[in-house]
Amino acid sequence: MILFSAFRFPREQQEQRRKARRLAWLSIGLLASTAVIMFLTLGQSQAMKTAWAEDLLGMIPPAALLVATRIEERKPNERYPFGYFRAISVAFLATAAVLTTVGLWLLLDAVMKLVKHERPPVGTTEVFGHQVWAGWLMIAGLAYAVGVGLTLGTLKRPLAAKLHDHVLAADADMNKADWMAEGAAIVGILLVGFGFWWGDSAAAAIISLSVIWDGWDNLRQVIGDLMDESPTEVGSLEMEDLPDRLKKAAERLPWVESAAVRLREHGHVLSGEVFVVPRERSAMLEEAECAAAELRGMDWRLHSLVVVPTASIEFAPDGDGKHADGDGKHTA
């Protein structure tokens, strides 16, 4: 058995991961462009300000993905024997917390403006020597943002399925919520143009609710991962059938009487145990069970400890900054 061994993604998944990184950079670039356009056209509109803040926040998930995918490729070591795959979960836990907090603040701000009956001044501006209603410029900026959100969401969804990436799927859902919220902002500005002063703040409230939902959806995904949730389908709460398929495959082995499987998600990868009951009991089996019970008694924190008989133990080279000698023993 090799300890501290690094996980290598299959060739197809490696290519998909490279595509995901390129898509993350594209997301940052396009969302930055929408943020600049909205900043130049937002005026005094509360809906535009909220949509602008949402586009700025939308750059956090792809940036976090770029950082986390680099960290998760580090090799396991003595301090992190299970590797760094949960770097993805940690990055998006921080992202979800920021999204939820800012969304609540934006919602409170929009509601207060509705309560105070604040009327946004949407006047005219000069464009190439002609006076144009500023609302049309706002709508043009929002329409561009809608196109960006639709494009990014469409590109991310198939990649999330191929990589079985819950985080990328949640980011695609966030892009979908973004363009829907920006569509609401267009309606709000049009309502202001027709004299309905409350349309702007109402649209801002809808957008802030979208931000809060994005944060909550990310939190739900990340908390499940950090709590060692059984593998689930991408973009769904339904559990995968992989544990059941592994159990049936183990029980088809001629020397196995029955089996049980326990899997958990670690970012992009899965880990766990397959427990089998052999048809013929042996002294080794009894000794392993007694050893596990005895070792668990060494510390009250040892909840799940499995003793696995193995032919040999080797340490993967460079697994923790050290190396193995010719006999497979760990040396400094």
Side-chain angles (χ1 to χ4, degrees), residues 114-329:
L114 280 171
V115 172
K116 295 179 181 178
H117 290 197
E118 292 189 12
R119 291 166 169 75
V122 182
T124 60
T125 185
E126 186 174 330
V127 178
F128 301 116
H130 300 279
Q131 290 296 319
V132 179
W133 181 51
W136 294 124
L137 298 180
M138 298 177 185
I139 291 172
L142 288 167
Y144 173 72
V146 168
V148 167
L150 277 169
T151 301
L152 293 177
T154 303
L155 292 174
K156 290 174 183 177
R157 177 59 63 180
L159 264 181
K162 291 178 181 177
L163 287 170
H164 197 82
D165 192 326
H166 291 281
V167 173
L168 193 58
D171 193 18
D173 290 338
M174 183 176 175
N175 291 133
K176 177 182 177 181
D178 287 351
W179 71 258
M180 293 177 68
E182 283 149 356
I186 292 175
V187 174
I189 292 171
L190 288 173
L191 286 173
V192 171
F194 283 102
F196 298 98
W197 64 269
W198 47 265
D200 185 65
S201 295
I206 292 173
I207 297 172
S208 61
L209 287 173
S210 170
V211 175
I212 295 171
W213 173 252
D214 291 337
W216 166 249
D217 191 48
N218 279 289
L219 276 174
R220 179 178 60 81
Q221 297 279 357
V222 170
I223 289 173
D225 189 12
L226 295 177
M227 291 185 66
D228 289 335
E229 182 182 25
S230 184
T232 57
E233 299 289 347
V234 175
S236 171
L237 294 177
E238 293 294 324
M239 290 193 296
E240 275 194 69
D241 64 346
L242 180 59
D244 186 56
R245 288 190 286 119
L246 282 174
K247 177 180 181 295
K248 291 178 179 178
E251 290 178 338
R252 285 196 295 268
L253 297 173
W255 57 274
V256 173
E257 181 178 309
S258 60
V261 176
R262 181 173 64 184
L263 294 182
R264 55 189 173 273
E265 291 190 283
H266 280 195
H268 287 120
V269 301
L270 306 177
S271 65
E273 299 82 27
V274 178
F275 302 96
V276 296
V277 178
R279 296 185 183 278
E280 297 181 5
R281 303 300 177 94
S282 65
M284 175 65 73
L285 177 62
E286 301 296 332
E287 290 175 2
E289 290 182 346
C290 291
E294 181 180 346
L295 294 173
R296 279 198 300 269
M298 293 182 62
D299 195 302
W300 63 270
R301 296 172 297 169
L302 292 172
H303 168 62
S304 177
L305 187 66
V306 181
V307 176
V308 182
T310 180
S312 64
I313 296 178
E314 300 176 2
F315 292 85
D318 301 323
D320 58 353
K322 302 178 182 180
H323 62 276
D325 62 16
D327 297 326
K329 295 181 179 179

